[in-house]
Amino acid sequence: MKRLLPLFAILLAACLLFGCHPKQTPAAAASAAPTAKPTAEPTVEPTAAPTEAPVPGPIVEYDAKYRKLTVTGTGDYDLLQLPEGADEAVTLSVNDDDFTLSQWIPHLPLGDEPFSVFLPGFLSRTEQSFRFLRAYLSENCGGLYPAERAALPVSLKTSNYDFGYRVRDGRLELTDTDSCDYYHREWLYLLAMMDSRNVGWEQYGYAWYVGTCLDPYSESPRMFLASSPVFGEWPYKDILQCANVNTETPTVANVRALYDAVSRFCFELDLTGWGSACESRPVTVETFYARADAEAKLQDETLSAFMAASLIGWLDKQYGPQTIAAFCFGQKTFEEAFDTDFDAAFAAWKAWIIETYPID
């Protein structure tokens, strides 16, 4: 027994040191152990590749060999920056979402402005002009005009052999002589909205009146400066001065006064060809004149295109834009639109012209 005591003491000490727990299976050990929560992988945001800042304004390219300037873009023309040497360009090509044009630069109405100063304003006015005309037609002409045609982008072209308008390749092409591409753009656009089978004094008058007397972005006011080499010797300049019209201020209001003064001069000299066809010849000689009605033709013989613009402006003031649109787009006759006949209205307008624009 004494021999067993030391062995018993050793076994007791081992139990105290290592514990007396029963042996566990691997599965039991696993279930007994506390479960650790998985650690989420850190999210790494992808790093965007560095990009170059966009160049402000339209893209401008200059070909010095051919002296050709090309502008591509839409809007922001005030940010237009011409490359070195571009002031020497002689041809201009523009690709805008709303319009394209090809123009000989020496024929643009630069006045005293350098080309680099003139160009941003010219392109902005061209873009804004078509937007103004679309908005005006939508507001005042209802379903009288071809809205799908009006919404087409415009292609301004120049030609020595062609003059007019057509729809081709999803664009409304307006083709003019090389020297007047900018000058007739609104007039051609509005004529393209009308029935080409019936074009008389009211269609010519409407196109000139809306396109040059209402559209604030028209180039016509710049053309009618007293210093213009084309219109510098107006025979009716004295009439404008007597009416206190400042002919050196390029505004649409002054263009309207010019048409009135032309009319006043025509009442003195009649339509005898004393000036351009638009001023001093009846609309029957105009390029797009097309009238079938004999009675209406008699009216056409009494008005030049600029006189017609003056008369349409007078009717607009008396009756409003929706009424003149109904007449000019052929929805109503003159009597139906204005509740009077042509002769009576013509006489009232003539009396107003003579009173407003006296001749000393």
Side-chain angles (χ1 to χ4, degrees), residues 151-173:
L152 292 174
V154 177
S155 177
L156 295 168
K157 294 189 172 184
T158 58
S159 172
N160 291 326
Y161 311 102
D162 196 10
F163 181 59
Y165 47 84
R166 66 181 59 83
V167 175
R168 182 158 57 186
D169 299 330
R171 289 182 173 273
L172 176 60
E173 287 188 2

Side-chain angles (χ1 to χ4, degrees), residues 50-295:
T51 58
E52 296 182 1
V55 178
I59 299 172
V60 185
E61 298 174 307
Y62 177 57
D63 187 331
K65 179 179 179 180
Y66 297 100
R67 298 175 67 183
K68 179 180 180 180
L69 185 69
T70 302
V71 180
T72 304
T74 298
D76 292 332
Y77 290 113
D78 57 323
L79 301 176
L80 196 69
Q81 296 182 3
L82 299 189
E84 184 177 355
D87 273 324
E88 302 298 322
V90 294
T91 59
L92 172 66
S93 178
V94 180
N95 302 294
D96 185 281
D97 287 351
D98 283 340
F99 70 94
T100 61
L101 71 81
S102 179
Q103 175 70 48
W104 193 34
I105 293 172
H107 282 164
L108 290 172
L110 302 180
D112 297 327
E113 288 183 320
F115 177 61
S116 58
V117 176
F118 167 82
L119 184 60
F122 171 70
L123 296 182
S124 180
R125 288 191 297 273
T126 302
E127 180 182 55
Q128 294 298 324
S129 178
F130 292 123
R131 293 181 181 179
F132 169 85
L133 295 176
R134 292 184 186 109
Y136 182 88
L137 291 171
S138 176
E139 181 177 352
N140 297 295
C141 299
L144 301 177
Y145 71 103
E148 291 184 0
R149 177 183 295 185
L152 292 174
V154 177
S155 177
L156 295 168
K157 294 189 172 184
T158 58
S159 172
N160 291 326
Y161 311 102
D162 196 10
F163 181 59
Y165 47 84
R166 66 181 59 83
V167 175
R168 182 158 57 186
D169 299 330
R171 289 182 173 273
L172 176 60
E173 287 188 2
L174 307 179
T175 306
D176 205 344
T177 58
D178 191 51
S179 61
C180 297
D181 185 34
Y182 59 89
Y183 176 52
H184 287 132
R185 69 188 181 207
E186 295 88 10
W187 177 76
L188 281 171
Y189 180 87
L190 288 165
L191 281 183
M193 299 300 113
M194 301 184 189
D195 184 1
S196 61
R197 297 165 297 179
N198 185 49
V199 178
W201 74 265
E202 63 268 35
Q203 285 75 35
Y204 273 96
Y206 190 86
W208 279 118
Y209 172 66
V210 175
T212 64
C213 298
L214 298 184
D215 182 355
Y217 307 104
S218 171
E219 294 301 315
S220 293
R222 300 176 65 89
M223 282 294 297
F224 294 148
L225 288 170
S227 59
S228 167
V230 178
F231 297 100
E233 298 299 327
W234 290 333
Y236 41 83
K237 185 184 296 185
D238 291 342
I239 297 175
L240 290 168
Q241 290 176 345
C242 287
N244 297 316
V245 176
N246 181 2
T247 58
E248 296 186 2
T249 303
T251 66
V252 290
N254 284 351
V255 175
R256 166 69 193 282
L258 181 143
Y259 295 156
D260 294 342
V262 167
S263 302
R264 182 68 178 91
F265 205 71
C266 285
F267 291 140
E268 296 297 313
L269 300 183
D270 207 354
L271 299 177
T272 54
W274 50 263
S276 68
C278 288
E279 296 168 308
S280 60
R281 298 290 301 279
V283 296
T284 53
V285 306
E286 294 283 352
T287 304
F288 304 112
Y289 178 78
R291 181 82 85 178
D293 182 78
E295 183 178 352

